[in-house]
Amino acid sequence: MKIAVAGATGRVGRHVVDVLSEAGHDVVPMSRTTGVDIITGEGLAAALAGVECVVDAATGPSPEERAATEFFTTATRNLQEYGARAGVQRIVVVSIIGLERLPRVGYTAAKLAHEEAMLAGPIPVRILRAAQFHEFVAQLVDWGRQGDVAYVPVMRTQLVAARTVAEAAGELATAAEAAPLTEVAGPREENLVDMATLLVARRQDGLKVEGVRDPANPDSEPQANGALLPGAGARLAGPTFEQWLAG
């Protein structure tokens, strides 16, 4: 099967390319480094020639609501329009668990706009909503570092490996039939502050981790109360964050 991957050099996209290639599929990596720009449309028609499915794992350069929304809706319009002309049969969109339980502001609003734009297009869409990636922990520790303390959001989550998300995306891309919305998460609920503490201990850099709730962040309370946890029918798969660190 010929499958194109948008965001092919990104955190999930590069794993999607590997997963599909290892399974013997004809994979077309799409990113600016491969000469394909899903925003300007450069190289997109050629990349989608003969493609049966597109996996959209692309992310924009900014988390700010307006910029992110513009990125996602523009990319969606191009993937749908160029894809329809090329005969693409379906698109798999990588998204985020819990969007509907968070205030519709910021990046949440952008991702919801992404999903809605995709669903409004001519090509059938399968949405894969994922929990926070294992790599997300280090990112938050680094963002919240002030001197010898890392301030990390209080968050209930079910951290998942990016490779695990890619495997789920690969299955949705190649399955003849699938649900229109699928969730994928790690094998168990985790406390983000505890996972950050594990990471810092493994780094041995002397940081202290403290959990914080930012009253100015509308996502703070929902995140602390479990809005980002998967539903009952989610696909759960390892490794756990601790196993991933050890690996």
Side-chain angles (χ1 to χ4, degrees), residues 122-134:
I123 303 173
V125 170
R126 298 171 180 176
I127 295 174
L128 177 64
R129 285 185 172 178
Q132 285 64 48
F133 306 138
H134 290 330

Side-chain angles (χ1 to χ4, degrees), residues 10 17 26 44 58 71 73 115 178 243:
V17 171
D26 182 4
L44 193 51
F71 173 87
T73 55
E115 291 186 1
Q243 290 169 336

Side-chain angles (χ1 to χ4, degrees), residues 60-144:
S62 171
E64 189 271 328
E65 180 178 339
R66 180 176 295 181
T69 300
E70 178 66 20
F71 173 87
F72 286 126
T73 55
T74 302
T76 293
R77 182 175 61 250
N78 286 335
L79 289 173
Q80 283 280 359
E81 290 180 359
Y82 281 84
R85 289 198 290 269
V88 171
Q89 298 174 15
R90 58 181 166 270
I91 300 176
V92 176
V93 179
V94 179
S95 192
I96 305 169
I97 284 176
L99 289 178
E100 75 285 3
R101 295 187 290 272
L102 297 173
R104 188 161 183 157
V105 295
Y107 197 72
T108 297
K111 283 303 291 183
L112 283 168
H114 183 198
E115 291 186 1
E116 290 165 359
M118 273 295 183
L119 291 169
I123 303 173
V125 170
R126 298 171 180 176
I127 295 174
L128 177 64
R129 285 185 172 178
Q132 285 64 48
F133 306 138
H134 290 330
E135 295 88 345
F136 180 64
V137 180
Q139 189 176 35
L140 285 179
V141 167
D142 292 339
W143 282 351

Side-chain angles (χ1 to χ4, degrees), residues 141-153:
V141 167
D142 292 339
W143 282 351
R145 184 168 187 163
Q146 297 181 26
D148 59 356
V149 179
Y151 296 96
V152 175

